[in-house]
Amino acid sequence: MAGELPLALTIGEPGGVGPDITLAAWLDRQRHPVPSFYCYADPDFLVDRARHLGLDCPIEAVSPDQAVDCFDRALPVVRLEAAITGAPGRAEEANAAAVIEAIARSVGDIRSGAAAAMVTNPINKEALYKAGFRHPGHTEFLGTLSAAWTGTPGRPTMMLAGPDLRTVPVTIHIPLGDVAAALSEDLIVETCRIVAGDLRKRFAIEAPRLAIAGLNPHAGEGGTLGGEERAMIAPAVAALWAEGIIATGPHSADAMFHPAARAGYDAAICMYHDQALIPAKTLSFAETVNVTLGLAFVRTSPDHGTAFDIAGTGKADPSSLKAALRLAAELRRNEDAA
């Protein structure tokens, strides 16, 4: 059962704040409880980072099956085969192998039944690209691992989930000027199917309600401010209703995120990155979690990046990581119950 299994946490970019918030989350576990987890890392590296930060954090090298028993007395760390080097504040190309290994082994542990779910610390894509990493990013790599597991290609989908709002961008890391051309009725419908499915299976929402944003100001204002709403977004809403998915829109994005509007839906489907992430992070930056939908396994992550400017300073806030750990365990429990 998921409740008896630890979470697998990846070290992320070693030069970033991932090690800092991992140590902080474990040290704060009694004041702000988190599920049992183990971290894929180099134990000696984490000992050095704890010493650098002035933290009294016992660290114990374990295997995944020893993590739960170890968790109360020490931070459980599963040793990576690849080495980790370098100091906080900068990415090291030499660490790419360790970053990738931690992700792949975490997925393998879920598949073998050693871990309930995975939580990933932030990575630095530039350092991975220099080392020959062939995936556009973290999420796409996880999608490849998920497809290898199931034998079925899927489309991993980003959700920002906070205490008061869940948002999903249909297009993600592309220039704003390319968004309109990248959108299509089929893409919107496919995204909403994935969101509705995971809201039912993992968020335990029996009849998910999706609010779909327009692309243009005032949702196009009847076509006078843009035609995408009439051409693709409204037809997508109609197609979703025909499939039995509760969807409304296109809505004017500037009126979707006040409290009364949020009470009317379970997730907001947005047309581009900032349309989704700005309201989510503004409402609750510290407690918002990045969730990848559409995978064969549960994956969550803090909603921030590597933050090289504060790595190793003790200023990194572990709140989003703690929220990601708690949400990962909750989603897996819901999935098991379903």
Side-chain angles (χ1 to χ4, degrees):
M1 295 296 292
E4 300 169 354
L5 295 175
L7 302 173
L9 173 65
T10 68
I11 187 63
E13 166 52 52
V17 295
D20 304 25
I21 59 178
T22 297
L23 294 162
W26 185 85
L27 286 168
D28 201 33
R29 72 198 181 284
Q30 293 179 335
R31 192 165 62 99
H32 293 116
V34 293
S36 298
F37 67 87
Y38 58 89
C39 181
Y40 266 112
D42 176 346
D44 295 334
F45 172 83
L46 281 175
V47 167
D48 287 345
R49 181 64 66 90
R51 186 180 300 117
H52 177 90
L53 290 165
L55 300 176
D56 181 14
C57 182
I59 291 166
E60 190 169 325
V62 300
S63 59
D65 63 320
Q66 297 170 323
V68 173
D69 290 339
C70 167
F71 193 74
D72 284 341
R73 65 176 180 267
L75 171 61
V77 178
V78 178
R79 188 182 300 275
L80 294 167
E81 294 181 6
I84 296 178
T85 62
R90 64 178 186 272
E92 298 280 354
E93 184 181 332
N95 288 329
V99 173
I100 295 166
E101 181 191 343
I103 298 167
R105 287 181 66 182
S106 294
V107 173
D109 287 351
I110 302 169
R111 188 172 181 177
S112 71
M118 69 184 298
V119 180
T120 61
N121 270 308
I123 65 171
N124 180 265
K125 290 191 286 291
E126 182 181 2
L128 296 184
Y129 294 157
K130 288 180 179 178
F133 188 65
R134 299 303 180 195
H135 301 273
H138 212 160
T139 300
E140 291 82 1
F141 181 40
L142 289 167
T144 299
L145 296 174
S146 178
W149 178 344
T150 64
T152 304
R155 195 175 71 82
T157 299
M158 175 193 291
M159 170 185 280
L160 272 289
D164 302 305
L165 177 66
R166 302 181 191 95
T167 62
V168 175
V170 176
T171 64
I172 307 178
H173 297 122
I174 63 173
L176 188 58
D178 295 342
V179 168
L183 287 171
S184 69
E185 178 184 340
D186 288 346
L187 180 60
I188 296 166
V189 170
E190 181 187 14
T191 300
C192 291
R193 286 180 186 140
I194 293 167
V195 175
D198 269 40
L199 287 175
R200 284 191 294 266
K201 179 173 70 173
R202 290 176 172 157
F203 286 82
I205 299 172
E206 186 175 346
R209 302 163 300 165
L210 308 182
I212 303 180
L215 172 65
N216 298 295
H218 300 249
E221 198 145 310
T224 61
L225 296 177
E228 287 81 8
E229 286 75 15
R230 286 183 168 181
M232 63 184 75
I233 302 175
V237 172
L240 291 164
W241 271 105
E243 295 183 10
I245 295 174
I246 303 169
T248 60
H251 298 284
S252 180
D254 64 0
M256 283 182 63
F257 302 110
H258 59 83
R262 298 198 307 271
Y265 58 81
D266 299 300
I269 310 300
C270 302
M271 295 301 109
Y272 56 93
H273 182 277
D274 285 9
Q275 193 182 57
L277 272 66
I278 288 173
K281 293 189 177 186
T282 299
L283 281 171
S284 184
F285 186 85
E287 295 180 82
T288 293
V289 177
N290 185 340
V291 186
T292 305
L293 311 179
L295 298 174
F297 47 86
V298 171
R299 179 259 183 154
T300 66
S301 180
D303 72 341
H304 57 74
T306 52
F308 287 121
D309 57 323
I310 60 171
T313 68
K315 296 179 180 179
D317 183 352
S319 297
S320 185
L321 175 60
K322 290 186 285 188
L325 290 162
R326 288 190 288 266
L327 183 58
E330 177 186 345
L331 296 182
R332 177 60 196 270
R333 284 194 302 269
N334 291 339
E335 183 177 63
D336 285 348

